[in-house]
Amino acid sequence: MAAPVRVRMAPSPTGFLHIGSVRTFLFNWLFARGRGGECLLRIENTDVSREVAAAVEQIQRSLEWIGIDWDGAATFQLDRIERCQEEAKRLVEDGAAYEEEGAIRFRMPEDGITGWDDAVLGRIEFPNAELEDVVLVRSDGRPTYNFASPVEDWLDEITHVIRGNDHVSNTPKQIQILTALGSALPVYAHVPMINGPDGKPLSKRHGAVSTDEFRDSGYLPEALINFLALLGWAPDGETTIMDRGELVDRFSLDRVGASSATFDYDKLDWLNGVYLRALPPAAYADTLVAYLRERGNDWPEERIREAVPLVQEKIGRLGEFPSFAGFLFHDVEPDPALLERAVLEEAAAALERVDLFESGPIEAALKELCERLGAKPRQVFAPIRVAVTGSKISPGLYESLALLGREAAVARLRSGAAAAAA
RNA sequence: GCCCCCAUCGACUAGCGGCCUAGGUCACCACCCUUUCAAGGUGGCUGCACGGGUUCGAAUCCCGUUGGGGGCACCA
């Protein structure tokens, strides 16, 4: 019987939750959930000055939004400060550590090698001569990260340490400490880092990096999860779209790649569009309304829902809605240079004559108008679109006109004609 | 500087010695559809970093080079 899997997600409470951390946590979570294991949330705050309650709440909110949950309450590294001190004292008594100017240092072996079979990278070995005698406990009594972390892994009976590649060089030190502590060793899996398009660590200048920014832009958690999972991992060479359940079912550490990945915002947009389009209209409407409300938008819900059929097929991010469909909620300011007086006047007249103001009849009327004017559809529709929506890009024209209503549509056409007069 | 890791299309990746004249997806280009932008359909463009080995046979194994990344705190 294999021991039950237990992993931990260990963010630093430094403000916001970085999307790269989310990817690492996602791998932990998928691994644990796929094996009926436990996934703990541990806040790494050995440094008091960085402990910000607000930051922790922020992290938890971000994780909840994206749908990564954890077992039990979040724990704080700082809470085990005394236990760490006791263990350090014990190590000193055992001769495995020693005091120096009030701090306690671990005595690393002078020669030989420390290695492990990384679940992602394979065999890795470090010459012990390279290992420094790391400080376990600072002179002020607080344990350092390289001590607190393994102590907690030991106490929490962590079976798999799945973390970023940047921790590789910490691993041999932690293995030595764990061994001196008398702890069993967890399986280590160092997952690749995520870079920006320039190959440098993903940062603000590349675009969105905090989970909140992605939420704000109108990405769906499901799409983000799907996208992130594919950064450094693939179930096979074909599958791209996978919902949470499938991800949990198919994820495995041995299929995680060893090389770092580049965050491709274009692909994320495409993937988000796929998820957005796949939503049942009612669910899409619910999501859209909730999204807008969260951002302080108070446009009438009824109208927003009516606009859904016009936008669902067109936008890739919920954040595009205000600019894409805003003309349905407020007046527009079309560029006079794009308006055609004669066309707009004719169009206004034609729409006034339409019996039933719905997209079908509107389409018929406008096509008839094209024939009558002897003009190509694009020459006629372009100015109408601009006059009515204020933009060259919009939802389908007939549907937009219908939803806007005869009165408003005609009024915009007329004022557009007037504006074009110049 | 020292240590560690990585290396397939522009990007994410499949590939774990012959199925590869290298497959899928995004992006890009062309065409179709079309009232625009999208979406959708069809087709296309690009890649095994380089040099040595091993082998009947290498994208796949080994060595080196080059390039990239990470780490060398009483930070995490």
Side-chain angles (χ1 to χ4, degrees), chain A residues 256-394:
Chain A
V256 173
S259 50
S260 52
T262 301
F263 197 101
D264 185 349
Y265 291 92
D266 284 339
K267 188 165 184 175
L268 206 212
D269 281 353
W270 166 77
L271 196 54
N272 199 57
V274 169
Y275 276 84
L276 240 22
R277 272 174 257 120
L279 242 30
Y284 186 98
D286 292 345
T287 304
L288 177 60
V289 170
Y291 169 79
L292 292 172
R293 292 292 180 260
E294 264 172 41
R295 311 189 75 231
N297 179 299
D298 61 357
W299 291 347
E301 177 165 348
E302 181 79 21
R303 209 59 197 304
I304 296 173
R305 288 181 179 278
E306 288 172 336
V308 166
L310 316 204
V311 305
Q312 186 167 11
E313 288 298 311
K314 308 259 187 172
I315 62 177
R317 282 177 288 113
L318 261 17
E320 294 173 49
F321 184 82
S323 64
F324 191 67
F327 71 94
L328 293 169
F329 303 87
H330 54 64
D331 284 338
V332 297
E333 292 177 26
D335 177 352
L338 299 174
L339 300 171
E340 291 283 339
R341 185 182 193 175
V343 169
L344 295 177
E345 285 177 344
E346 292 281 356
L351 291 187
E352 279 182 322
R353 287 196 298 273
V354 172
D355 286 332
L356 192 58
F357 206 72
E358 290 178 355
S359 80
I362 290 173
E363 174 175 4
L366 292 182
K367 284 191 168 165
E368 182 191 283
L369 177 62
C370 290
E371 278 181 42
R372 187 142 49 78
L373 296 176
K376 290 190 174 181
R378 62 191 317 144
Q379 295 175 306
V380 173
F381 291 120
I384 294 177
R385 177 185 306 283
V386 172
V388 172
T389 72
S391 169
K392 292 160 76 173
I393 302 170
S394 78

Side-chain angles (χ1 to χ4, degrees), chain A residues 219 249 337 356:
Chain A
Y219 290 101
D249 280 350
L356 192 58

Side-chain angles (χ1 to χ4, degrees), chain A residues 121-137:
Chain A
L121 303 173
R123 184 71 191 173
I124 296 182
E125 298 183 334
F126 280 78
N128 288 336
E130 296 295 326
L131 275 27
E132 300 286 310
D133 283 2
V134 297
V135 169
L136 264 26
V137 178

Side-chain angles (χ1 to χ4, degrees), chain A residues 178-202:
Chain A
L178 247 13
T179 302
L181 247 17
S183 166
L185 297 178
V187 169
Y188 289 94
H190 289 93
V191 307
M193 310 294 289
I194 297 176
N195 297 325
D198 60 356
K200 303 294 181 195
L202 196 62

Side-chain angles (χ1 to χ4, degrees), chain A residues 197-264:
Chain A
D198 60 356
K200 303 294 181 195
L202 196 62
S203 69
K204 293 111 277 183
R205 67 200 158 84
H206 296 116
V209 281
S210 81
T211 308
D212 281 356
E213 287 178 286
F214 287 96
R215 180 180 186 171
D216 244 29
S217 300
Y219 290 101
L220 297 178
E222 295 287 325
L224 205 44
I225 289 291
N226 191 159
F227 174 76
L228 254 19
L230 256 14
L231 247 31
W233 174 81
D236 52 51
E238 318 293 311
T239 315
T240 300
I241 310 296
M242 285 169 283
D243 62 27
R244 202 175 294 263
E246 184 169 3
L247 250 17
V248 168
D249 280 350
R250 306 186 66 171
F251 183 80
S252 69
L253 287 175
D254 58 301
R255 288 198 66 88
V256 173
S259 50
S260 52
T262 301
F263 197 101
D264 185 349

